[in-house]
Amino acid sequence: MNFLSGEYECKLDPKGRLVLPAKIKANLPEASGNQVVLTRGFEPCLVLYPKQEWKTIYDRVAALNEFNEEYRQFQRNFFRGNTEIELDNTGRFVLPKTMQRYADIEKEVIIVGLGNRVEIWNPEKYEEFLIKDQQQFSNLAQKFLGDQPAEQPII
């Protein structure tokens, strides 16, 4: 599995194009090729998924019972505005205006690799959503990871 990681400061060009950092582009799964899907995040950011990762998520959401009102409402909002994108050879793509408005992105962006996906943020909004208190961060680490046994090395 390819692992998308790192935090990068980038800029949109005057035509609204964004270039993915080389390390992010190099770690996109080969099976996805240059195909990615851009969607709105739950926070005010954009999320970019390699095509094969998006397919897994898409299948889960699409499988929800369409006769359940809450499921339909979730599907409608989740799939709203998703855009399939083909990166050019340099990893560049146009960030649609509707997506720029949603994430309040003008020129400067922060790109953050989160394992199977990439978030694209307005730098000021990104700072607002980061944990400032290291003790709070430590407590979350304990809560989510502290009780899990360490993996045993394979001999």
Side-chain angles (χ1 to χ4, degrees):
M1 174 181 148
N2 296 33
F3 189 71
L4 305 171
S5 65
E7 184 178 273
Y8 308 88
E9 294 178 359
C10 302
K11 294 180 189 222
L12 291 181
D13 73 12
K15 294 182 180 179
R17 295 177 297 197
L18 181 63
V19 177
L20 281 181
K23 288 185 180 182
I24 295 284
K25 185 176 182 314
N27 280 311
L28 291 173
E30 283 187 34
S32 293
N34 282 340
Q35 300 288 317
V36 293
V37 176
L38 183 68
T39 186
R40 290 171 172 85
F42 295 111
E43 292 79 17
C45 68
L46 304 176
V47 182
L48 193 69
Y49 288 96
K51 185 82 180 245
Q52 78 179 53
E53 286 291 333
W54 176 250
K55 174 85 172 90
T56 302
I57 294 165
Y58 175 91
D59 289 345
R60 287 181 62 195
V61 176
L64 296 173
N65 182 347
E66 69 186 82
F67 299 104
N68 178 304
E69 184 178 354
E70 281 186 308
Y71 290 166
R72 280 195 316 273
Q73 193 173 37
F74 175 72
Q75 287 172 324
R76 186 175 304 119
N77 284 277
F78 188 80
F79 290 134
R80 177 178 156 236
N82 296 334
T83 306
E84 290 189 28
I85 293 172
E86 184 162 353
L87 304 173
D88 70 11
N89 291 335
T90 64
R92 184 176 60 181
F93 65 98
V94 173
L95 208 56
K97 291 281 186 200
T98 56
M99 296 292 207
Q100 288 180 44
R101 281 191 298 273
Y102 173 79
D104 195 21
I105 291 172
E106 293 178 14
K107 185 170 172 106
E108 308 286 327
V109 299
I110 298 287
I111 294 178
V112 184
L114 297 171
N116 69 334
R117 66 193 184 283
V118 173
E119 288 183 343
I120 303 169
W121 286 86
N122 166 314
E124 292 170 7
K125 297 278 186 197
Y126 180 61
E127 285 298 320
E128 290 174 22
F129 280 84
L130 292 177
I131 298 170
K132 309 291 185 287
D133 178 359
Q134 289 304 307
Q135 186 59 52
Q136 180 186 4
F137 182 56
S138 177
N139 291 343
L140 287 174
Q142 172 64 35
K143 178 180 177 180
F144 298 127
L145 303 172
D147 293 332
Q148 296 180 3
E151 282 190 39
Q152 298 299 316
I154 299 173
I155 301 176

